[in-house]
Amino acid sequence: MHTTLDFIALHTQDLAAARQYYTEILGFETTAGPPNAAVFTQAGGASLAVREPLPHEARDHLGSGASIWFAVPDADAYHAQVTSAGAQVTQPPQDGPFGRMFSVQTPDGHALTFHQVQQ
């Protein structure tokens, strides 16, 4: 059976600060949602993968985190945008398995990777 990834919820200690980070730093747009959540507009489907850690990732915490990837049209331009807004970049732009990519860490410690959509 094939499933379709529908919704990912990242937990936060401070909803107002998280909402501000995702909207003001990363440029995400909000949509209607319950009062105890910030729900963001999405423009496409999602994929989920189970993978081994990359050499730079901790191997002693497997199962305690997640890698979340977002497709963007231009990774370098988006990197410049979020860096100038104050994002904490943990992996600078570089060529990766799915094209040009970079990673940030949210104030809650979530790792987000942005990769350039390959044509």
Side-chain angles (χ1 to χ4, degrees), residues 3-95:
T3 62
T4 302
L5 182 60
D6 184 50
F7 188 78
I8 296 172
L10 300 175
H11 297 189
T12 182
Q13 298 281 339
D14 186 340
L15 181 60
R19 178 183 284 121
Q20 181 180 10
Y21 177 82
Y22 282 88
T23 58
E24 294 180 16
I25 303 298
L26 298 182
F28 287 18
E29 296 177 13
T30 58
T31 190
N36 64 340
V39 179
F40 302 100
T41 306
Q42 61 93 17
S47 297
L48 177 66
V50 177
R51 66 169 179 83
E52 294 180 340
L54 299 174
H56 69 277
E57 295 174 317
R59 294 175 181 268
D60 56 346
H61 290 89
L62 293 178
S64 65
S67 296
I68 301 171
W69 290 56
F70 295 89
V72 295
D74 184 331
D76 290 314
Y78 189 59
H79 173 266
Q81 175 186 326
V82 302
T83 301
S84 68
Q88 179 185 350
V89 175
T90 58
Q91 186 176 28
Q94 60 190 273
D95 294 327

